[in-house]
């Protein structure tokens, strides 16, 4: 039996008949100090720009002196040509007035994603398979691994595979080679069971967010042999956590978590197999939500619209 967390409803892509073409769909994510009139001001700005709001979600962290977060989906004919002026006007008016940290994106432009993996293939192949089926709104531009083992598995998907050996002793050299491939070429890096700790220099230099999958509800059973330790403790749930990567190991903002129920009859191998299933589901949801611009980070937490 699986206990599933609540999650945002899926967006329909491509849009069904009667909906605006994908090329004219924009997204606006914003975060700022909360004050009266914010929703009205954003809505008025988009309306005056000729945009029709399709979806509007918002959240304030407190009734007074909180932080306001919002995700707006809108339709604007000729969006690509209008985007630069739209951003300029927003920056000069609302962003300055309300101290807004914001981001405009176009739904038609999928995120460029790099996947990093080691020897475990379940999360990597699941992402590649879902992406090939059109279930994930992203373009996988490369796979980087510190082992050559997965090259033959990746080849049928037509994604470039780069083997860059990486150990603690050669971390700086390996990370520099990785950055040469990643910097400026990707919008997101997914650590699909990449079993190397990344340095602060790498995180600062890559120029985009990173999402990691962890084989438990953090911070339980961190470190080596988690399923063996879980079995020894007689756990009743096996879970997984997808989170953004920060310099503090496994302490980044959590995007998604899930669990599956287990009992005394399950072996260590059973726990590992069930855990891998949860990891695949949790990671794919987190990646999809990020690529759909559903996630806003606030302090060390996330709001997922």
């Amino acid at each position: 039996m699986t206990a599933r967390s609540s999650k945002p409803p899926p967006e329909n892509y491509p849009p069904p008949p009667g909906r605006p073409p994908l090329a004219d769909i924009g997204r606006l994510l914003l975060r700022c100090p909360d004050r009266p009139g914010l929703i009205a001001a954003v809505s008025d700005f988009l309306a005056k720009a000729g945009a029709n709001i399709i979806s509007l979600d918002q959240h304030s962290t407190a009734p007074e002196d909180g932080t306001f977060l919002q995700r707006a989906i809108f339709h604007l004919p000729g969006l690509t040509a209008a985007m630069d002026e739209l951003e300029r006007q927003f920056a000069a008016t609302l962003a300055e007035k309300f101290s807004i940290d914001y981001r405009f994106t176009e739904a038609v432009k999928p995120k460029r994603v790099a996947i990093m993996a080691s020897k475990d293939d379940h999360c990597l192949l699941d992402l590649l398979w879902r992406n090939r089926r059109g279930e994930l709104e992203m373009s996988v531009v490369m796979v980087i691994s510190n082992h050559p083992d997965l090259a033959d598995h990746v080849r049928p998907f037509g994604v470039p595979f780069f083997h860059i050996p990486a150990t603690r002793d050669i971390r700086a050299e390996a990370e520099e080679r990785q950055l040469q491939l990643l910097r400026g070429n990707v919008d997101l890096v997914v650590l699909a069971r990449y079993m190397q700790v990344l340095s602060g220099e790498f995180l600062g230099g890559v120029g985009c967010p990173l999402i990691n999958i962890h084989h438990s509800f953090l911070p339980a059973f961190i470190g080596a042999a988690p399923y063996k330790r879980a079995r020894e403790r007689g756990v009743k749930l096996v879970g997984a956590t997808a989170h953004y990567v920060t310099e503090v190991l496994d302490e980044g903002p959590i995007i998604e978590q899930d669990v599956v129920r287990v009992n005394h009859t399950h072996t260590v191998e059973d726990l590992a197999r069930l855990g891998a299933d949860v990891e695949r589901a949790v990671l794919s949801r987190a990646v999809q939500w990020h690529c759909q611009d559903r996630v806003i980070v606030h302090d060390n937490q996330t709001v997922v619209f």
Side-chain angles (χ1 to χ4, degrees):
M1 176 179 178
T2 302
R4 298 209 174 274
S5 59
S6 60
K7 57 184 180 180
E11 291 181 349
N12 295 315
Y13 291 92
R19 290 210 181 167
L22 191 63
D24 293 330
I25 302 298
R27 300 170 182 149
L28 169 60
L29 273 70
L30 61 86
R31 177 185 59 203
C32 63
D34 196 8
R35 56 184 279 191
L38 277 168
I39 298 174
V42 173
S43 300
D44 183 62
F45 173 86
L46 292 173
K48 288 180 177 178
N52 179 45
I53 296 175
I54 301 171
S55 174
L56 192 65
D57 296 289
Q58 61 272 328
H59 172 70
S60 181
T61 60
E64 295 183 355
D65 301 322
T67 297
F68 178 75
L69 308 103
Q70 185 181 72
R71 176 183 186 257
I73 310 298
F74 60 90
H75 171 234
L76 179 62
L79 176 62
T80 299
M83 182 63 86
D84 289 344
E85 179 64 15
L86 192 69
E87 292 193 57
R88 189 188 70 79
Q89 289 288 344
F90 192 88
T93 56
L94 293 195
E96 182 176 346
K97 178 180 179 180
F98 293 103
S99 302
I100 298 175
D101 178 20
Y102 69 95
R103 182 171 77 252
F104 281 97
T105 62
E106 297 181 62
V108 75
K109 297 180 178 179
K111 300 283 192 292
R112 300 167 298 169
V113 177
I115 304 175
M116 298 178 67
S118 291
K119 289 186 175 182
D120 289 335
D121 65 358
H122 58 286
C123 287
L124 167 64
L125 296 183
D126 182 72
L127 290 174
L128 293 174
W129 178 76
R130 291 178 188 270
N131 188 62
R132 185 170 65 182
R133 287 173 52 87
E135 296 181 8
L136 298 177
E137 295 172 35
M138 65 183 189
S139 174
V140 181
V141 297
M142 70 183 79
V143 172
I144 299 175
S145 179
N146 57 324
H147 296 281
D149 304 51
L150 301 179
D152 289 340
H153 299 283
V154 172
R155 188 173 296 111
F157 292 93
V159 176
F161 181 93
F162 297 95
H163 171 221
I164 301 178
T167 63
R168 182 180 302 177
D169 296 334
I170 59 170
R171 178 176 299 162
E173 176 187 346
E175 290 187 346
E176 180 56 35
R177 292 179 60 192
Q178 293 164 352
L179 287 175
Q180 290 173 0
L181 294 171
L182 297 170
R183 192 184 291 119
N185 294 320
V186 298
D187 304 304
L188 175 69
V189 175
V190 180
L191 305 182
R193 298 306 302 274
Y194 182 68
M195 307 306 289
Q196 292 289 316
V197 176
L198 298 172
S199 70
E201 290 75 16
F202 179 92
L203 299 179
V206 70
C208 69
L210 294 88
I211 294 178
N212 184 41
I213 185 67
H214 195 279
H215 44 240
S216 70
F217 268 132
L218 291 173
F221 301 114
I222 62 175
Y227 292 113
K228 181 176 184 296
R229 295 170 60 199
R231 179 68 175 83
E232 291 170 350
R233 285 289 305 276
V235 299
K236 307 306 179 188
L237 296 171
V238 170
T241 300
H243 64 93
Y244 287 117
V245 179
T246 62
E247 290 192 41
V248 183
L249 184 63
D250 295 332
E251 293 288 333
I254 292 171
I255 306 170
E256 171 65 336
Q257 296 180 296
D258 208 344
V259 294
V260 61
R261 183 163 294 280
V262 297
N263 59 42
H264 60 280
T265 67
H266 289 103
T267 65
V268 172
E269 291 74 20
D270 291 332
L271 299 187
R273 173 178 52 80
L274 293 169
D277 288 343
V278 181
E279 290 170 24
R280 284 191 288 261
V282 168
L283 182 59
S284 66
R285 290 201 294 265
V287 170
Q288 175 72 319
W289 296 345
H290 177 92
C291 290
Q292 290 180 337
D293 300 305
R294 291 184 178 273
V295 187
I296 302 179
V297 175
H298 173 59
D299 293 334
N300 199 44
Q301 300 179 10
T302 64
V303 172
V304 183
F305 289 117

